[in-house]
PDB file of all heavy atoms in Angstrom:
ATOM      1  N   LEU A   1     132.397  87.889  49.059  1.00 98.00           N
ATOM      2  CA  LEU A   1     132.203  88.046  47.611  1.00 98.00           C
ATOM      3  C   LEU A   1     133.501  87.773  46.871  1.00 98.00           C
ATOM      4  O   LEU A   1     133.524  87.020  45.891  1.00 98.00           O
ATOM      5  CB  LEU A   1     131.682  89.452  47.296  1.00 98.00           C
ATOM      6  CG  LEU A   1     130.227  89.731  47.648  1.00 98.00           C
ATOM      7  CD1 LEU A   1     129.949  91.227  47.599  1.00 98.00           C
ATOM      8  CD2 LEU A   1     129.280  88.984  46.738  1.00 98.00           C
ATOM      9  N   ASN A   2     134.595  88.367  47.322  1.00 98.00           N
ATOM     10  CA  ASN A   2     135.896  88.171  46.668  1.00 98.00           C
ATOM     11  C   ASN A   2     136.305  86.705  46.679  1.00 98.00           C
ATOM     12  O   ASN A   2     136.811  86.185  45.674  1.00 98.00           O
ATOM     13  CB  ASN A   2     136.973  89.035  47.338  1.00 98.00           C
ATOM     14  CG  ASN A   2     136.861  90.505  46.971  1.00 98.00           C
ATOM     15  OD1 ASN A   2     136.407  90.857  45.901  1.00 98.00           O
ATOM     16  ND2 ASN A   2     137.287  91.363  47.872  1.00 98.00           N
ATOM     17  N   ASN A   3     136.080  86.017  47.798  1.00 97.00           N
ATOM     18  CA  ASN A   3     136.461  84.604  47.922  1.00 97.00           C
ATOM     19  C   ASN A   3     135.627  83.699  47.031  1.00 97.00           C
ATOM     20  O   ASN A   3     136.006  82.548  46.799  1.00 97.00           O
ATOM     21  CB  ASN A   3     136.328  84.139  49.379  1.00 97.00           C
ATOM     22  CG  ASN A   3     137.398  84.734  50.270  1.00 97.00           C
ATOM     23  OD1 ASN A   3     138.444  85.175  49.798  1.00 97.00           O
ATOM     24  ND2 ASN A   3     137.133  84.765  51.554  1.00 97.00           N
ATOM     25  N   ASN A   4     134.500  84.209  46.543  1.00 96.00           N
ATOM     26  CA  ASN A   4     133.612  83.394  45.717  1.00 96.00           C
ATOM     27  C   ASN A   4     133.544  83.883  44.275  1.00 96.00           C
ATOM     28  O   ASN A   4     132.600  83.587  43.551  1.00 96.00           O
ATOM     29  CB  ASN A   4     132.220  83.333  46.357  1.00 96.00           C
ATOM     30  CG  ASN A   4     132.214  82.439  47.579  1.00 96.00           C
ATOM     31  OD1 ASN A   4     132.109  81.231  47.466  1.00 96.00           O
ATOM     32  ND2 ASN A   4     132.379  83.027  48.753  1.00 96.00           N
ATOM     33  N   GLY A   5     134.556  84.647  43.866  1.00 97.00           N
ATOM     34  CA  GLY A   5     134.693  85.010  42.463  1.00 97.00           C
ATOM     35  C   GLY A   5     133.973  86.278  42.047  1.00 97.00           C
ATOM     36  O   GLY A   5     133.886  86.572  40.855  1.00 97.00           O
ATOM     37  N   TYR A   6     133.455  87.033  43.012  1.00 97.00           N
ATOM     38  CA  TYR A   6     132.812  88.316  42.699  1.00 97.00           C
ATOM     39  C   TYR A   6     133.772  89.421  43.112  1.00 97.00           C
ATOM     40  O   TYR A   6     134.118  89.522  44.285  1.00 97.00           O
ATOM     41  CB  TYR A   6     131.480  88.453  43.449  1.00 97.00           C
ATOM     42  CG  TYR A   6     130.478  87.394  43.063  1.00 97.00           C
ATOM     43  CD1 TYR A   6     130.392  86.208  43.756  1.00 97.00           C
ATOM     44  CD2 TYR A   6     129.631  87.588  41.977  1.00 97.00           C
ATOM     45  CE1 TYR A   6     129.478  85.226  43.397  1.00 97.00           C
ATOM     46  CE2 TYR A   6     128.715  86.613  41.607  1.00 97.00           C
ATOM     47  CZ  TYR A   6     128.647  85.433  42.318  1.00 97.00           C
ATOM     48  OH  TYR A   6     127.752  84.474  41.952  1.00 97.00           O
ATOM     49  N   ASP A   7     134.221  90.226  42.161  1.00 98.00           N
ATOM     50  CA  ASP A   7     135.232  91.250  42.434  1.00 98.00           C
ATOM     51  C   ASP A   7     134.598  92.454  43.123  1.00 98.00           C
ATOM     52  O   ASP A   7     134.060  93.342  42.474  1.00 98.00           O
ATOM     53  CB  ASP A   7     135.925  91.672  41.138  1.00 98.00           C
ATOM     54  CG  ASP A   7     137.024  92.695  41.381  1.00 98.00           C
ATOM     55  OD1 ASP A   7     137.351  92.968  42.558  1.00 98.00           O
ATOM     56  OD2 ASP A   7     137.559  93.222  40.396  1.00 98.00           O
ATOM     57  N   ALA A   8     134.698  92.469  44.452  1.00 98.00           N
ATOM     58  CA  ALA A   8     134.143  93.570  45.237  1.00 98.00           C
ATOM     59  C   ALA A   8     135.212  94.619  45.539  1.00 98.00           C
ATOM     60  O   ALA A   8     134.952  95.561  46.275  1.00 98.00           O
ATOM     61  CB  ALA A   8     133.552  93.042  46.541  1.00 98.00           C
ATOM     62  N   GLY A   9     136.408  94.434  44.970  1.00 97.00           N
ATOM     63  CA  GLY A   9     137.492  95.354  45.287  1.00 97.00           C
ATOM     64  C   GLY A   9     138.075  95.016  46.650  1.00 97.00           C
ATOM     65  O   GLY A   9     137.756  93.994  47.239  1.00 97.00           O
ATOM     66  N   PRO A  10     138.925  95.892  47.170  1.00 97.00           N
ATOM     67  CA  PRO A  10     139.548  95.598  48.464  1.00 97.00           C
ATOM     68  C   PRO A  10     138.515  95.552  49.579  1.00 97.00           C
ATOM     69  O   PRO A  10     137.531  96.302  49.549  1.00 97.00           O
ATOM     70  CB  PRO A  10     140.521  96.769  48.672  1.00 97.00           C
ATOM     71  CG  PRO A  10     140.045  97.848  47.769  1.00 97.00           C
ATOM     72  CD  PRO A  10     139.348  97.174  46.618  1.00 97.00           C
ATOM     73  N   ALA A  11     138.717  94.658  50.548  1.00 97.00           N
ATOM     74  CA  ALA A  11     137.793  94.546  51.684  1.00 97.00           C
ATOM     75  C   ALA A  11     138.114  95.669  52.671  1.00 97.00           C
ATOM     76  O   ALA A  11     138.776  95.465  53.678  1.00 97.00           O
ATOM     77  CB  ALA A  11     137.916  93.168  52.335  1.00 97.00           C
ATOM     78  N   ASP A  12     137.623  96.872  52.321  1.00 97.00           N
ATOM     79  CA  ASP A  12     137.978  98.072  53.083  1.00 97.00           C
ATOM     80  C   ASP A  12     136.806  98.637  53.876  1.00 97.00           C
ATOM     81  O   ASP A  12     136.932  99.662  54.543  1.00 97.00           O
ATOM     82  CB  ASP A  12     138.529  99.149  52.145  1.00 97.00           C
ATOM     83  CG  ASP A  12     137.562  99.513  51.017  1.00 97.00           C
ATOM     84  OD1 ASP A  12     136.407  99.032  51.022  1.00 97.00           O
ATOM     85  OD2 ASP A  12     137.971 100.275  50.125  1.00 97.00           O
ATOM     86  N   GLY A  13     135.657  97.980  53.805  1.00 96.00           N
ATOM     87  CA  GLY A  13     134.504  98.439  54.568  1.00 96.00           C
ATOM     88  C   GLY A  13     133.755  99.595  53.941  1.00 96.00           C
ATOM     89  O   GLY A  13     132.829 100.131  54.533  1.00 96.00           O
ATOM     90  N   VAL A  14     134.158  99.983  52.720  1.00 95.00           N
ATOM     91  CA  VAL A  14     133.513 101.101  52.028  1.00 95.00           C
ATOM     92  C   VAL A  14     132.594 100.547  50.939  1.00 95.00           C
ATOM     93  O   VAL A  14     133.026  99.767  50.099  1.00 95.00           O
ATOM     94  CB  VAL A  14     134.564 102.048  51.406  1.00 95.00           C
ATOM     95  CG1 VAL A  14     133.878 103.166  50.625  1.00 95.00           C
ATOM     96  CG2 VAL A  14     135.468 102.627  52.481  1.00 95.00           C
ATOM     97  N   MET A  15     131.326 100.957  50.957  1.00 95.00           N
ATOM     98  CA  MET A  15     130.354 100.487  49.975  1.00 95.00           C
ATOM     99  C   MET A  15     130.485 101.324  48.709  1.00 95.00           C
ATOM    100  O   MET A  15     129.757 102.286  48.492  1.00 95.00           O
ATOM    101  CB  MET A  15     128.936 100.608  50.567  1.00 95.00           C
ATOM    102  CG  MET A  15     127.849 100.096  49.645  1.00 95.00           C
ATOM    103  SD  MET A  15     127.947  98.360  49.269  1.00 95.00           S
ATOM    104  CE  MET A  15     127.176  97.674  50.713  1.00 95.00           C
ATOM    105  N   GLY A  16     131.451 100.949  47.878  1.00 96.00           N
ATOM    106  CA  GLY A  16     131.689 101.678  46.637  1.00 96.00           C
ATOM    107  C   GLY A  16     131.011 101.013  45.454  1.00 96.00           C
ATOM    108  O   GLY A  16     130.276 100.033  45.591  1.00 96.00           O
ATOM    109  N   ALA A  17     131.280 101.556  44.274  1.00 97.00           N
ATOM    110  CA  ALA A  17     130.647 101.063  43.048  1.00 97.00           C
ATOM    111  C   ALA A  17     131.011  99.605  42.776  1.00 97.00           C
ATOM    112  O   ALA A  17     130.162  98.816  42.336  1.00 97.00           O
ATOM    113  CB  ALA A  17     131.053 101.942  41.865  1.00 97.00           C
ATOM    114  N   LYS A  18     132.271  99.224  43.030  1.00 97.00           N
ATOM    115  CA  LYS A  18     132.702  97.852  42.771  1.00 97.00           C
ATOM    116  C   LYS A  18     131.981  96.875  43.692  1.00 97.00           C
ATOM    117  O   LYS A  18     131.579  95.791  43.272  1.00 97.00           O
ATOM    118  CB  LYS A  18     134.212  97.735  42.993  1.00 97.00           C
ATOM    119  CG  LYS A  18     134.962  97.313  41.762  1.00 97.00           C
ATOM    120  CD  LYS A  18     136.436  97.151  42.020  1.00 97.00           C
ATOM    121  CE  LYS A  18     137.013  96.418  40.830  1.00 97.00           C
ATOM    122  NZ  LYS A  18     138.453  96.352  40.845  1.00 97.00           N
ATOM    123  N   THR A  19     131.831  97.269  44.940  1.00 98.00           N
ATOM    124  CA  THR A  19     131.137  96.403  45.898  1.00 98.00           C
ATOM    125  C   THR A  19     129.676  96.254  45.498  1.00 98.00           C
ATOM    126  O   THR A  19     129.133  95.143  45.495  1.00 98.00           O
ATOM    127  CB  THR A  19     131.253  96.970  47.323  1.00 98.00           C
ATOM    128  OG1 THR A  19     132.647  97.073  47.664  1.00 98.00           O
ATOM    129  CG2 THR A  19     130.548  96.083  48.339  1.00 98.00           C
ATOM    130  N   GLN A  20     129.036  97.355  45.131  1.00 97.00           N
ATOM    131  CA  GLN A  20     127.624  97.279  44.717  1.00 97.00           C
ATOM    132  C   GLN A  20     127.466  96.425  43.464  1.00 97.00           C
ATOM    133  O   GLN A  20     126.518  95.646  43.365  1.00 97.00           O
ATOM    134  CB  GLN A  20     127.059  98.671  44.490  1.00 97.00           C
ATOM    135  CG  GLN A  20     126.593  99.299  45.780  1.00 97.00           C
ATOM    136  CD  GLN A  20     125.654 100.460  45.544  1.00 97.00           C
ATOM    137  OE1 GLN A  20     125.955 101.356  44.771  1.00 97.00           O
ATOM    138  NE2 GLN A  20     124.523 100.438  46.212  1.00 97.00           N
ATOM    139  N   ALA A  21     128.398  96.551  42.522  1.00 98.00           N
ATOM    140  CA  ALA A  21     128.328  95.739  41.296  1.00 98.00           C
ATOM    141  C   ALA A  21     128.482  94.260  41.633  1.00 98.00           C
ATOM    142  O   ALA A  21     127.784  93.415  41.066  1.00 98.00           O
ATOM    143  CB  ALA A  21     129.399  96.184  40.307  1.00 98.00           C
ATOM    144  N   ALA A  22     129.382  93.943  42.564  1.00 98.00           N
ATOM    145  CA  ALA A  22     129.581  92.549  42.969  1.00 98.00           C
ATOM    146  C   ALA A  22     128.335  92.010  43.666  1.00 98.00           C
ATOM    147  O   ALA A  22     127.933  90.865  43.441  1.00 98.00           O
ATOM    148  CB  ALA A  22     130.805  92.431  43.878  1.00 98.00           C
ATOM    149  N   ILE A  23     127.713  92.845  44.509  1.00 98.00           N
ATOM    150  CA  ILE A  23     126.480  92.432  45.185  1.00 98.00           C
ATOM    151  C   ILE A  23     125.384  92.169  44.158  1.00 98.00           C
ATOM    152  O   ILE A  23     124.690  91.149  44.218  1.00 98.00           O
ATOM    153  CB  ILE A  23     126.036  93.499  46.212  1.00 98.00           C
ATOM    154  CG1 ILE A  23     127.001  93.505  47.410  1.00 98.00           C
ATOM    155  CG2 ILE A  23     124.600  93.244  46.676  1.00 98.00           C
ATOM    156  CD1 ILE A  23     126.782  94.668  48.366  1.00 98.00           C
ATOM    157  N   LYS A  24     125.248  93.064  43.181  1.00 98.00           N
ATOM    158  CA  LYS A  24     124.225  92.881  42.136  1.00 98.00           C
ATOM    159  C   LYS A  24     124.475  91.594  41.356  1.00 98.00           C
ATOM    160  O   LYS A  24     123.536  90.842  41.063  1.00 98.00           O
ATOM    161  CB  LYS A  24     124.202  94.080  41.191  1.00 98.00           C
ATOM    162  CG  LYS A  24     123.572  95.311  41.803  1.00 98.00           C
ATOM    163  CD  LYS A  24     123.595  96.473  40.822  1.00 98.00           C
ATOM    164  CE  LYS A  24     123.070  97.743  41.477  1.00 98.00           C
ATOM    165  NZ  LYS A  24     123.142  98.904  40.588  1.00 98.00           N
ATOM    166  N   ALA A  25     125.729  91.324  41.009  1.00 98.00           N
ATOM    167  CA  ALA A  25     126.058  90.104  40.262  1.00 98.00           C
ATOM    168  C   ALA A  25     125.728  88.868  41.093  1.00 98.00           C
ATOM    169  O   ALA A  25     125.164  87.894  40.577  1.00 98.00           O
ATOM    170  CB  ALA A  25     127.531  90.110  39.870  1.00 98.00           C
ATOM    171  N   PHE A  26     126.074  88.909  42.371  1.00 98.00           N
ATOM    172  CA  PHE A  26     125.763  87.790  43.262  1.00 98.00           C
ATOM    173  C   PHE A  26     124.257  87.594  43.378  1.00 98.00           C
ATOM    174  O   PHE A  26     123.761  86.468  43.290  1.00 98.00           O
ATOM    175  CB  PHE A  26     126.375  88.023  44.652  1.00 98.00           C
ATOM    176  CG  PHE A  26     126.014  86.944  45.633  1.00 98.00           C
ATOM    177  CD1 PHE A  26     126.743  85.766  45.674  1.00 98.00           C
ATOM    178  CD2 PHE A  26     124.951  87.099  46.499  1.00 98.00           C
ATOM    179  CE1 PHE A  26     126.398  84.752  46.562  1.00 98.00           C
ATOM    180  CE2 PHE A  26     124.600  86.099  47.390  1.00 98.00           C
ATOM    181  CZ  PHE A  26     125.329  84.921  47.424  1.00 98.00           C
ATOM    182  N   GLN A  27     123.535  88.698  43.566  1.00 98.00           N
ATOM    183  CA  GLN A  27     122.079  88.610  43.689  1.00 98.00           C
ATOM    184  C   GLN A  27     121.468  88.011  42.422  1.00 98.00           C
ATOM    185  O   GLN A  27     120.615  87.118  42.505  1.00 98.00           O
ATOM    186  CB  GLN A  27     121.483  89.994  43.962  1.00 98.00           C
ATOM    187  CG  GLN A  27     121.781  90.514  45.357  1.00 98.00           C
ATOM    188  CD  GLN A  27     121.402  91.969  45.540  1.00 98.00           C
ATOM    189  OE1 GLN A  27     121.561  92.777  44.627  1.00 98.00           O
ATOM    190  NE2 GLN A  27     120.916  92.314  46.719  1.00 98.00           N
ATOM    191  N   ALA A  28     121.903  88.486  41.262  1.00 98.00           N
ATOM    192  CA  ALA A  28     121.353  87.993  39.995  1.00 98.00           C
ATOM    193  C   ALA A  28     121.639  86.503  39.827  1.00 98.00           C
ATOM    194  O   ALA A  28     120.773  85.743  39.379  1.00 98.00           O
ATOM    195  CB  ALA A  28     121.936  88.789  38.825  1.00 98.00           C
ATOM    196  N   ALA A  29     122.845  86.075  40.202  1.00 97.00           N
ATOM    197  CA  ALA A  29     123.242  84.678  40.038  1.00 97.00           C
ATOM    198  C   ALA A  29     122.513  83.759  41.017  1.00 97.00           C
ATOM    199  O   ALA A  29     122.473  82.548  40.818  1.00 97.00           O
ATOM    200  CB  ALA A  29     124.752  84.539  40.224  1.00 97.00           C
ATOM    201  N   ASN A  30     121.924  84.335  42.049  1.00 96.00           N
ATOM    202  CA  ASN A  30     121.286  83.531  43.089  1.00 96.00           C
ATOM    203  C   ASN A  30     119.784  83.774  43.187  1.00 96.00           C
ATOM    204  O   ASN A  30     119.173  83.510  44.217  1.00 96.00           O
ATOM    205  CB  ASN A  30     121.979  83.790  44.433  1.00 96.00           C
ATOM    206  CG  ASN A  30     123.356  83.165  44.467  1.00 96.00           C
ATOM    207  OD1 ASN A  30     123.496  81.985  44.738  1.00 96.00           O
ATOM    208  ND2 ASN A  30     124.364  83.947  44.156  1.00 96.00           N
ATOM    209  N   GLY A  31     119.197  84.283  42.097  1.00 97.00           N
ATOM    210  CA  GLY A  31     117.751  84.397  42.019  1.00 97.00           C
ATOM    211  C   GLY A  31     117.134  85.472  42.893  1.00 97.00           C
ATOM    212  O   GLY A  31     115.952  85.406  43.212  1.00 97.00           O
ATOM    213  N   MET A  32     117.934  86.443  43.286  1.00 97.00           N
ATOM    214  CA  MET A  32     117.405  87.535  44.101  1.00 97.00           C
ATOM    215  C   MET A  32     117.211  88.765  43.217  1.00 97.00           C
ATOM    216  O   MET A  32     117.737  88.827  42.106  1.00 97.00           O
ATOM    217  CB  MET A  32     118.407  87.906  45.200  1.00 97.00           C
ATOM    218  CG  MET A  32     118.727  86.810  46.165  1.00 97.00           C
ATOM    219  SD  MET A  32     119.977  87.381  47.327  1.00 97.00           S
ATOM    220  CE  MET A  32     120.919  85.891  47.531  1.00 97.00           C
ATOM    221  N   GLU A  33     116.464  89.728  43.733  1.00 97.00           N
ATOM    222  CA  GLU A  33     116.349  91.001  43.036  1.00 97.00           C
ATOM    223  C   GLU A  33     117.713  91.684  43.087  1.00 97.00           C
ATOM    224  O   GLU A  33     118.269  91.902  44.162  1.00 97.00           O
ATOM    225  CB  GLU A  33     115.302  91.887  43.715  1.00 97.00           C
ATOM    226  CG  GLU A  33     115.118  93.216  43.003  1.00 97.00           C
ATOM    227  CD  GLU A  33     114.169  94.165  43.732  1.00 97.00           C
ATOM    228  OE1 GLU A  33     113.462  93.712  44.653  1.00 97.00           O
ATOM    229  OE2 GLU A  33     114.163  95.344  43.379  1.00 97.00           O
ATOM    230  N   ALA A  34     118.281  91.982  41.905  1.00 97.00           N
ATOM    231  CA  ALA A  34     119.637  92.551  41.834  1.00 97.00           C
ATOM    232  C   ALA A  34     119.579  94.060  42.028  1.00 97.00           C
ATOM    233  O   ALA A  34     119.663  94.836  41.083  1.00 97.00           O
ATOM    234  CB  ALA A  34     120.285  92.184  40.503  1.00 97.00           C
ATOM    235  N   ASP A  35     119.422  94.465  43.286  1.00 97.00           N
ATOM    236  CA  ASP A  35     119.298  95.889  43.587  1.00 97.00           C
ATOM    237  C   ASP A  35     120.558  96.462  44.244  1.00 97.00           C
ATOM    238  O   ASP A  35     120.646  97.661  44.480  1.00 97.00           O
ATOM    239  CB  ASP A  35     118.079  96.145  44.476  1.00 97.00           C
ATOM    240  CG  ASP A  35     118.120  95.372  45.794  1.00 97.00           C
ATOM    241  OD1 ASP A  35     119.162  94.764  46.108  1.00 97.00           O
ATOM    242  OD2 ASP A  35     117.103  95.384  46.509  1.00 97.00           O
ATOM    243  N   GLY A  36     121.531  95.598  44.547  1.00 96.00           N
ATOM    244  CA  GLY A  36     122.772  96.074  45.149  1.00 96.00           C
ATOM    245  C   GLY A  36     122.643  96.449  46.607  1.00 96.00           C
ATOM    246  O   GLY A  36     123.584  96.958  47.203  1.00 96.00           O
ATOM    247  N   GLU A  37     121.475  96.165  47.197  1.00 93.00           N
ATOM    248  CA  GLU A  37     121.245  96.516  48.600  1.00 93.00           C
ATOM    249  C   GLU A  37     121.636  95.354  49.510  1.00 93.00           C
ATOM    250  O   GLU A  37     121.462  94.192  49.170  1.00 93.00           O
ATOM    251  CB  GLU A  37     119.768  96.848  48.824  1.00 93.00           C
ATOM    252  CG  GLU A  37     119.279  98.053  48.049  1.00 93.00           C
ATOM    253  CD  GLU A  37     119.957  99.345  48.466  1.00 93.00           C
ATOM    254  OE1 GLU A  37     120.061  99.600  49.673  1.00 93.00           O
ATOM    255  OE2 GLU A  37     120.380 100.098  47.568  1.00 93.00           O
ATOM    256  N   VAL A  38     122.158  95.689  50.680  1.00 92.00           N
ATOM    257  CA  VAL A  38     122.454  94.678  51.689  1.00 92.00           C
ATOM    258  C   VAL A  38     121.196  94.478  52.527  1.00 92.00           C
ATOM    259  O   VAL A  38     120.724  95.403  53.175  1.00 92.00           O
ATOM    260  CB  VAL A  38     123.627  95.125  52.586  1.00 92.00           C
ATOM    261  CG1 VAL A  38     123.865  94.119  53.703  1.00 92.00           C
ATOM    262  CG2 VAL A  38     124.884  95.316  51.752  1.00 92.00           C
ATOM    263  N   ASP A  39     120.642  93.274  52.456  1.00 93.00           N
ATOM    264  CA  ASP A  39     119.462  92.953  53.251  1.00 93.00           C
ATOM    265  C   ASP A  39     119.643  91.568  53.869  1.00 93.00           C
ATOM    266  O   ASP A  39     120.662  90.914  53.647  1.00 93.00           O
ATOM    267  CB  ASP A  39     118.189  93.042  52.402  1.00 93.00           C
ATOM    268  CG  ASP A  39     118.224  92.123  51.191  1.00 93.00           C
ATOM    269  OD1 ASP A  39     119.033  91.176  51.154  1.00 93.00           O
ATOM    270  OD2 ASP A  39     117.432  92.344  50.260  1.00 93.00           O
ATOM    271  N   ASP A  40     118.653  91.136  54.648  1.00 93.00           N
ATOM    272  CA  ASP A  40     118.762  89.849  55.341  1.00 93.00           C
ATOM    273  C   ASP A  40     118.959  88.691  54.375  1.00 93.00           C
ATOM    274  O   ASP A  40     119.754  87.783  54.638  1.00 93.00           O
ATOM    275  CB  ASP A  40     117.512  89.591  56.196  1.00 93.00           C
ATOM    276  CG  ASP A  40     117.464  90.477  57.432  1.00 93.00           C
ATOM    277  OD1 ASP A  40     118.501  91.070  57.798  1.00 93.00           O
ATOM    278  OD2 ASP A  40     116.387  90.585  58.037  1.00 93.00           O
ATOM    279  N   GLU A  41     118.252  88.721  53.254  1.00 95.00           N
ATOM    280  CA  GLU A  41     118.353  87.632  52.268  1.00 95.00           C
ATOM    281  C   GLU A  41     119.782  87.524  51.734  1.00 95.00           C
ATOM    282  O   GLU A  41     120.343  86.431  51.646  1.00 95.00           O
ATOM    283  CB  GLU A  41     117.372  87.886  51.119  1.00 95.00           C
ATOM    284  CG  GLU A  41     117.360  86.775  50.082  1.00 95.00           C
ATOM    285  CD  GLU A  41     116.437  87.054  48.905  1.00 95.00           C
ATOM    286  OE1 GLU A  41     116.093  88.239  48.666  1.00 95.00           O
ATOM    287  OE2 GLU A  41     116.070  86.098  48.212  1.00 95.00           O
ATOM    288  N   LEU A  42     120.387  88.671  51.413  1.00 95.00           N
ATOM    289  CA  LEU A  42     121.765  88.686  50.912  1.00 95.00           C
ATOM    290  C   LEU A  42     122.726  88.153  51.968  1.00 95.00           C
ATOM    291  O   LEU A  42     123.554  87.285  51.683  1.00 95.00           O
ATOM    292  CB  LEU A  42     122.172  90.112  50.507  1.00 95.00           C
ATOM    293  CG  LEU A  42     123.647  90.261  50.120  1.00 95.00           C
ATOM    294  CD1 LEU A  42     123.908  89.642  48.758  1.00 95.00           C
ATOM    295  CD2 LEU A  42     124.065  91.716  50.135  1.00 95.00           C
ATOM    296  N   VAL A  43     122.596  88.653  53.182  1.00 93.00           N
ATOM    297  CA  VAL A  43     123.513  88.251  54.256  1.00 93.00           C
ATOM    298  C   VAL A  43     123.414  86.751  54.518  1.00 93.00           C
ATOM    299  O   VAL A  43     124.428  86.061  54.629  1.00 93.00           O
ATOM    300  CB  VAL A  43     123.240  89.068  55.542  1.00 93.00           C
ATOM    301  CG1 VAL A  43     124.039  88.526  56.718  1.00 93.00           C
ATOM    302  CG2 VAL A  43     123.579  90.542  55.307  1.00 93.00           C
ATOM    303  N   LYS A  44     122.188  86.215  54.562  1.00 95.00           N
ATOM    304  CA  LYS A  44     122.010  84.776  54.790  1.00 95.00           C
ATOM    305  C   LYS A  44     122.656  83.958  53.675  1.00 95.00           C
ATOM    306  O   LYS A  44     123.316  82.951  53.940  1.00 95.00           O
ATOM    307  CB  LYS A  44     120.524  84.431  54.910  1.00 95.00           C
ATOM    308  CG  LYS A  44     119.929  84.821  56.236  1.00 95.00           C
ATOM    309  CD  LYS A  44     118.442  84.496  56.286  1.00 95.00           C
ATOM    310  CE  LYS A  44     117.819  85.077  57.551  1.00 95.00           C
ATOM    311  NZ  LYS A  44     116.372  85.184  57.468  1.00 95.00           N
ATOM    312  N   ALA A  45     122.464  84.379  52.423  1.00 96.00           N
ATOM    313  CA  ALA A  45     123.038  83.655  51.290  1.00 96.00           C
ATOM    314  C   ALA A  45     124.556  83.696  51.333  1.00 96.00           C
ATOM    315  O   ALA A  45     125.223  82.691  51.070  1.00 96.00           O
ATOM    316  CB  ALA A  45     122.520  84.235  49.979  1.00 96.00           C
ATOM    317  N   LEU A  46     125.127  84.852  51.681  1.00 95.00           N
ATOM    318  CA  LEU A  46     126.582  84.961  51.775  1.00 95.00           C
ATOM    319  C   LEU A  46     127.138  84.128  52.919  1.00 95.00           C
ATOM    320  O   LEU A  46     128.181  83.481  52.770  1.00 95.00           O
ATOM    321  CB  LEU A  46     126.989  86.436  51.947  1.00 95.00           C
ATOM    322  CG  LEU A  46     126.803  87.325  50.723  1.00 95.00           C
ATOM    323  CD1 LEU A  46     127.034  88.787  51.095  1.00 95.00           C
ATOM    324  CD2 LEU A  46     127.735  86.923  49.591  1.00 95.00           C
ATOM    325  N   LEU A  47     126.445  84.121  54.038  1.00 92.00           N
ATOM    326  CA  LEU A  47     126.922  83.347  55.183  1.00 92.00           C
ATOM    327  C   LEU A  47     126.926  81.860  54.875  1.00 92.00           C
ATOM    328  O   LEU A  47     127.777  81.118  55.370  1.00 92.00           O
ATOM    329  CB  LEU A  47     126.073  83.643  56.429  1.00 92.00           C
ATOM    330  CG  LEU A  47     126.285  85.014  57.049  1.00 92.00           C
ATOM    331  CD1 LEU A  47     125.310  85.247  58.193  1.00 92.00           C
ATOM    332  CD2 LEU A  47     127.718  85.220  57.505  1.00 92.00           C
ATOM    333  N   GLN A  48     125.998  81.399  54.033  1.00 93.00           N
ATOM    334  CA  GLN A  48     125.980  79.987  53.647  1.00 93.00           C
ATOM    335  C   GLN A  48     127.216  79.623  52.817  1.00 93.00           C
ATOM    336  O   GLN A  48     127.657  78.489  52.837  1.00 93.00           O
ATOM    337  CB  GLN A  48     124.712  79.661  52.859  1.00 93.00           C
ATOM    338  CG  GLN A  48     123.479  79.624  53.752  1.00 93.00           C
ATOM    339  CD  GLN A  48     122.208  79.353  52.972  1.00 93.00           C
ATOM    340  OE1 GLN A  48     122.149  79.539  51.771  1.00 93.00           O
ATOM    341  NE2 GLN A  48     121.171  78.924  53.684  1.00 93.00           N
TER     342      GLN A  48
END
């Protein structure tokens, strides 16, 4: 997320508010339901 312009905060392995906000922003920008949850669809999109 950080490498692609979404500010997830430090890559510390903690699912905090900043990380959830970055996930929601990424999901919204990529046509997914912006729920802030880590699921298979999110992981596949990030891996691409």
Side-chain angles (χ1 to χ4, degrees):
L1 286 166
N2 285 331
N3 289 339
N4 286 278
Y6 298 92
D7 182 8
D12 57 7
V14 177
M15 182 63 82
K18 241 182 167 172
T19 301
Q20 276 198 309
I23 289 171
K24 286 179 185 177
F26 176 84
Q27 289 170 323
N30 288 277
M32 299 177 217
E33 181 185 347
D35 58 9
E37 297 296 313
V38 176
D39 58 18
D40 288 344
E41 183 183 20
L42 173 73
V43 172
K44 284 178 188 162
L46 289 171
L47 288 175
Q48 287 178 340

